[in-house]
Amino acid sequence: MVNAVSHRAPSSRKLVGQKLLYVISIFASLGVFLFGYDQGVMSGIITGPYFRQYFDNPDPVSLGTMVAVLEVGAFITSAAAGRIGDVFGRKGTLFLGAIVFTVGGAIQTLTNGFWVMIVGRVISGFGVGLLSTIVPIYQSEISPPDHRGSLACMEFTMNIAGYSSSVWTDYLCSFIESDLSWRIPLFIQCIIGVILAAGALVMPESPRWCIDTDKDAEGMQILVDLHGGDPGNPKAIAEFKEIKDLVMEERASGVARSYYEMWKRYKRRVLLAMSSQAFAQLNGINVISYYAPRVFEEAGWIGRDAILMTGINSVIYILSTIPTWYLVDRWGRRPILLSGAVIMAVSLTATGWWMYIDVPRTPNAVVICVIIFNAAFGYSWGPIPWLYPPEIMPLTVRAKGVSISTCTNWAFNFLVGEVTPELQEVITWRLYPMHGFFCVCSFILGESMFLYPETKGVPLEEMDLVFGEGEKDSFDSLPLVDIVSDERQSREENEEDDDDDADTLNETTSLLSTTSPGGTRRHRRRGWFGIFKRRRTSDELHT
């Protein structure tokens, strides 16, 4: 089957290689744009006079419920998305999420009261749960190791662009003197949902999901397209073999792919994925994202001016995510998380202090502090917790592992969204130093290499080397990131040398039809001695 793919004529796709990768990334990013828009759209309309009048001036608890109930739906489907993603595939789950979200958006737009709005928000949450789980998985599985971080961070930028778009839509529609001032922003998300659903129908499936479900020919063809369209590309062939070897090895182990087995075998990875998402919420971002106009009103900006300040803040928020595109695959994940936590802790503490002293300069000072906080989050704890879980979870349980981490995100998202209006009333300025304390906690945990190992440049199929499951000294293998990169580079150099050797290429291609467990991954369980021996031999050959 695979040999037939290998000897085809070059791919007939018009888009291959980098162009195909970026087009896929843009369409997939509409999924995160969509739930970014939905998270932000309520923050502006709940302060509008026509919205308040229509819903009989809701109290803080009602407002909090209306905003945060989205997370209830998202929590439910993100828990189920692991199973759905494995059964229906990544693009099938993406399509389903877009359709469900659109239905929920339509109900919100046409609502005739509080409870209908709640139903619409929950249904939209169902779509958000599917999208927020499957998009990071899909993105990680189509991305090459050396660009995986930057593409995931670009995806997060689309999320913030969605948030910013909703805020500016709220601001422009605030000039409409009717209920359309809040119905139009809600309707726009339906249009975006339809576009995403249509795009999902023409996007290719994840090659890793195809290979994992024995659709080898389709998986190989997608890998060929992503590597430039040449069926004989040695990198595409080697990547196919590495993925297939891992799949066969996991099957040969006879271990079930259940949530229980995932927890038993990969407990540390699951806890890392969950904690990164939990701290992303506890660090205070949704106090700002959901309730930024109210924060600015507390500081002295009233009515439409509060929404305007939120819009300006959102533009800077977008810009702050761009440096991470370049830094995440150069500096690595941990330095970005650590530096972001420090800046966020300082800016949140300063926000509370300026509100406490309440002087004429407080409104402007709070705006500056909030902008600095948002920029620090957008550069660090915003994108990395969405990148980290699909990176560290193995293919066989990746969808389930990411679904658990995404559930954690929405659970804490709901918690923060629900209690923030009440806390703003009860503890006032103390709310912001409280979240600053959580930023300090995230710094302490992130500073430990033992807890958050670096994953920069490590291929997904070689992530076991970072965590050392099955090794005698499981945590001693943390520094192996550099070794993995060296071995990968050495292997790629050898592949380039072999590119001109037709006999070698044919031999490599023929191996695809006789895939066996172990294969190119024999070094995975050779332990420290074997790995260093391999590296030393490689160095001697180069000298």
Side-chain angles (χ1 to χ4, degrees), residues 197-236:
L201 294 176
V202 298
M203 290 165 58
E205 183 53 85
S206 160
R208 285 171 168 83
W209 180 83
C210 290
I211 296 168
D212 191 36
T213 54
D214 294 324
K215 298 179 176 65
D216 290 356
E218 181 181 355
M220 180 64 189
Q221 185 59 58
I222 295 169
L223 287 173
V224 166
D225 292 336
L226 289 171
H227 282 281
D230 178 11
N233 187 299
K235 291 185 179 180

Coordinates of all heavy atoms in Angstrom, one line a residue, residues 197-236:
A197 N -16.5 26.0 9.2 CA -17.1 24.7 8.8 C -16.8 24.3 7.3 O -16.5 23.2 7.0 CB -18.6 24.7 9.1
A198 N -17.0 25.3 6.5 CA -16.7 25.1 5.0 C -15.2 24.8 4.8 O -14.9 23.9 4.0 CB -17.1 26.4 4.2
G199 N -14.3 25.5 5.5 CA -12.9 25.3 5.4 C -12.5 23.9 5.9 O -11.6 23.2 5.3
A200 N -13.2 23.4 6.9 CA -12.8 22.1 7.5 C -13.1 21.0 6.5 O -12.5 19.9 6.5 CB -13.6 21.8 8.8
L201 N -14.1 21.2 5.6 CA -14.4 20.1 4.6 C -13.3 19.9 3.6 O -13.2 18.8 3.0 CB -15.7 20.5 3.9 CG -17.0 20.5 4.8 CD1 -18.2 21.0 4.0 CD2 -17.2 19.1 5.3
V202 N -12.5 21.0 3.3 CA -11.5 20.9 2.2 C -10.1 20.7 2.8 O -9.1 20.4 2.1 CB -11.5 22.1 1.3 CG1 -12.9 22.2 0.6 CG2 -11.3 23.4 2.1
M203 N -9.9 20.8 4.1 CA -8.6 20.7 4.7 C -8.2 19.2 4.7 O -9.0 18.3 4.9 CB -8.6 21.3 6.1 CG -8.7 22.8 6.2 SD -9.1 23.4 7.8 CE -7.8 22.7 8.8
P204 N -6.9 18.9 4.6 CA -6.5 17.5 4.7 C -6.5 17.0 6.2 O -6.5 17.9 7.1 CB -5.0 17.5 4.3 CG -4.5 18.9 4.5 CD -5.7 19.8 4.3
E205 N -6.6 15.8 6.4 CA -6.7 15.2 7.7 C -5.3 15.2 8.3 O -4.3 15.4 7.6 CB -7.2 13.7 7.6 CG -7.4 13.0 9.0 CD -8.2 13.8 10.0 OE1 -9.4 13.7 9.9 OE2 -7.6 14.5 10.8
S206 N -5.2 15.0 9.6 CA -3.9 14.9 10.3 C -3.2 13.6 9.8 O -3.8 12.5 9.9 CB -4.0 14.8 11.8 OG -2.9 14.3 12.4
P207 N -2.0 13.7 9.3 CA -1.3 12.4 8.8 C -1.1 11.4 10.0 O -1.1 10.2 9.7 CB 0.0 12.9 8.3 CG 0.3 14.3 8.9 CD -1.1 14.9 9.1
R208 N -0.9 11.9 11.2 CA -0.7 11.0 12.3 C -1.9 10.2 12.6 O -1.9 9.1 13.0 CB -0.1 11.8 13.5 CG 1.4 12.2 13.3 CD 1.9 13.1 14.4 NE 3.3 13.2 14.4 CZ 4.0 14.0 13.5 NH1 3.3 14.7 12.6 NH2 5.3 14.0 13.5
W209 N -3.1 10.9 12.6 CA -4.3 10.2 12.8 C -4.6 9.2 11.7 O -5.0 8.1 12.0 CB -5.5 11.2 12.9 CG -6.8 10.5 13.2 CD1 -7.3 10.1 14.4 CD2 -7.8 10.1 12.2 NE1 -8.5 9.5 14.2 CE2 -8.9 9.5 12.9 CE3 -7.9 10.2 10.8 CZ2 -10.0 9.0 12.3 CZ3 -9.0 9.7 10.2 CH2 -10.0 9.1 10.9
C210 N -4.3 9.5 10.5 CA -4.5 8.6 9.4 C -3.6 7.3 9.6 O -4.1 6.2 9.4 CB -4.1 9.2 8.0 SG -5.2 10.5 7.5
I211 N -2.4 7.5 9.9 CA -1.5 6.4 10.1 C -1.9 5.5 11.3 O -1.9 4.3 11.3 CB 0.0 6.8 10.3 CG1 0.4 7.5 9.0 CG2 0.9 5.7 10.6 CD1 1.7 8.3 9.1
D212 N -2.3 6.2 12.4 CA -2.8 5.5 13.6 C -4.0 4.7 13.4 O -4.3 3.7 14.1 CB -3.0 6.6 14.7 CG -3.2 5.9 16.1 OD1 -2.6 4.9 16.3 OD2 -4.1 6.4 16.8
T213 N -4.8 5.1 12.3 CA -6.1 4.3 12.0 C -5.9 3.5 10.8 O -6.9 3.1 10.1 CB -7.3 5.3 11.9 OG1 -6.9 6.3 10.9 CG2 -7.6 6.0 13.2
D214 N -4.7 3.2 10.4 CA -4.3 2.3 9.3 C -4.7 2.9 7.9 O -4.8 2.1 7.0 CB -4.9 0.9 9.5 CG -4.3 0.2 10.7 OD1 -3.1 0.4 10.9 OD2 -5.1 -0.5 11.4
K215 N -4.9 4.2 7.8 CA -5.0 4.8 6.5 C -3.7 5.3 6.0 O -3.4 6.4 5.9 CB -6.0 6.0 6.6 CG -7.4 5.6 7.1 CD -8.3 6.8 7.2 CE -9.8 6.4 7.5 NZ -9.9 5.8 8.9
D216 N -2.8 4.3 5.8 CA -1.4 4.6 5.6 C -1.2 5.3 4.3 O -0.4 6.3 4.2 CB -0.6 3.3 5.5 CG -0.5 2.6 6.8 OD1 -0.9 3.2 7.8 OD2 0.1 1.5 6.9
A217 N -1.9 5.0 3.2 CA -1.7 5.6 1.9 C -2.1 7.1 2.0 O -1.3 8.0 1.5 CB -2.5 5.0 0.8
E218 N -3.2 7.4 2.7 CA -3.6 8.8 2.8 C -2.6 9.6 3.7 O -2.3 10.7 3.4 CB -5.0 8.8 3.5 CG -5.6 10.2 3.6 CD -6.9 10.3 4.3 OE1 -7.5 9.2 4.5 OE2 -7.4 11.4 4.6
G219 N -2.2 8.9 4.8 CA -1.2 9.6 5.7 C 0.1 9.9 5.0 O 0.6 11.0 5.2
M220 N 0.6 8.9 4.2 CA 1.8 9.1 3.5 C 1.7 10.2 2.5 O 2.6 11.1 2.3 CB 2.2 7.8 2.8 CG 3.5 7.9 2.0 SD 5.0 8.3 3.1 CE 6.2 8.6 1.9
Q221 N 0.5 10.3 1.8 CA 0.3 11.3 0.8 C 0.3 12.7 1.4 O 0.9 13.7 0.9 CB -1.0 11.1 0.0 CG -1.2 12.0 -1.1 CD -0.1 12.0 -2.2 OE1 0.2 10.9 -2.7 NE2 0.6 13.1 -2.4
I222 N -0.3 12.8 2.6 CA -0.4 14.1 3.3 C 1.1 14.5 3.7 O 1.4 15.7 3.6 CB -1.3 14.1 4.5 CG1 -2.7 13.8 4.0 CG2 -1.3 15.4 5.3 CD1 -3.7 13.5 5.1
L223 N 1.8 13.6 4.2 CA 3.2 13.9 4.6 C 4.0 14.3 3.4 O 4.8 15.3 3.5 CB 3.9 12.6 5.2 CG 3.4 12.3 6.7 CD1 4.0 11.0 7.1 CD2 3.8 13.4 7.6
V224 N 3.8 13.6 2.3 CA 4.5 14.0 1.0 C 4.2 15.4 0.6 O 5.0 16.3 0.3 CB 4.1 13.0 -0.1 CG1 4.5 13.6 -1.5 CG2 4.8 11.7 0.1
D225 N 2.9 15.8 0.7 CA 2.4 17.1 0.4 C 3.0 18.2 1.3 O 3.5 19.2 0.9 CB 0.9 17.2 0.4 CG 0.2 16.4 -0.7 OD1 0.9 16.2 -1.7 OD2 -1.0 16.0 -0.5
L226 N 3.1 17.9 2.6 CA 3.7 18.8 3.6 C 5.2 19.0 3.4 O 5.7 20.0 3.7 CB 3.4 18.3 5.0 CG 1.9 18.4 5.4 CD1 1.7 17.7 6.8 CD2 1.5 19.9 5.6
H227 N 5.8 18.0 2.8 CA 7.3 18.0 2.5 C 7.6 18.5 1.1 O 8.7 18.4 0.7 CB 7.9 16.7 2.8 CG 8.1 16.4 4.3 ND1 9.1 16.9 5.0 CD2 7.4 15.7 5.2 CE1 9.0 16.5 6.3 NE2 8.0 15.7 6.4
G228 N 6.6 19.0 0.4 CA 6.9 19.6 -0.9 C 6.3 18.9 -2.1 O 6.4 19.4 -3.2
G229 N 5.7 17.8 -1.9 CA 5.0 17.1 -3.0 C 5.8 16.0 -3.8 O 5.2 15.4 -4.7
D230 N 7.1 15.8 -3.4 CA 7.9 14.8 -4.1 C 7.7 13.4 -3.4 O 8.0 13.3 -2.2 CB 9.3 15.2 -4.0 CG 10.2 14.1 -4.6 OD1 9.7 13.2 -5.3 OD2 11.5 14.2 -4.5
P231 N 7.1 12.4 -4.0 CA 6.8 11.1 -3.4 C 8.1 10.4 -2.9 O 8.0 9.6 -2.0 CB 6.2 10.3 -4.5 CG 5.6 11.3 -5.5 CD 6.6 12.5 -5.4
G232 N 9.2 10.8 -3.4 CA 10.5 10.1 -3.0 C 11.2 10.9 -2.0 O 12.4 10.6 -1.7
N233 N 10.6 12.0 -1.4 CA 11.3 12.8 -0.4 C 11.7 11.9 0.8 O 10.9 11.3 1.5 CB 10.4 13.9 0.1 CG 11.1 14.9 1.0 OD1 11.6 14.5 2.0 ND2 11.1 16.2 0.5
P234 N 13.0 11.8 1.1 CA 13.5 10.9 2.2 C 13.0 11.4 3.5 O 12.8 10.5 4.4 CB 15.0 11.0 2.1 CG 15.3 12.3 1.3 CD 14.2 12.5 0.4
K235 N 12.8 12.7 3.7 CA 12.3 13.1 5.0 C 10.8 12.7 5.3 O 10.5 12.3 6.4 CB 12.4 14.6 5.1 CG 13.8 15.2 5.2 CD 13.9 16.7 5.5 CE 15.3 17.1 5.6 NZ 15.4 18.6 5.8
A236 N 10.0 12.8 4.2 CA 8.6 12.3 4.3 C 8.6 10.8 4.6 O 7.8 10.3 5.4 CB 7.9 12.6 3.0

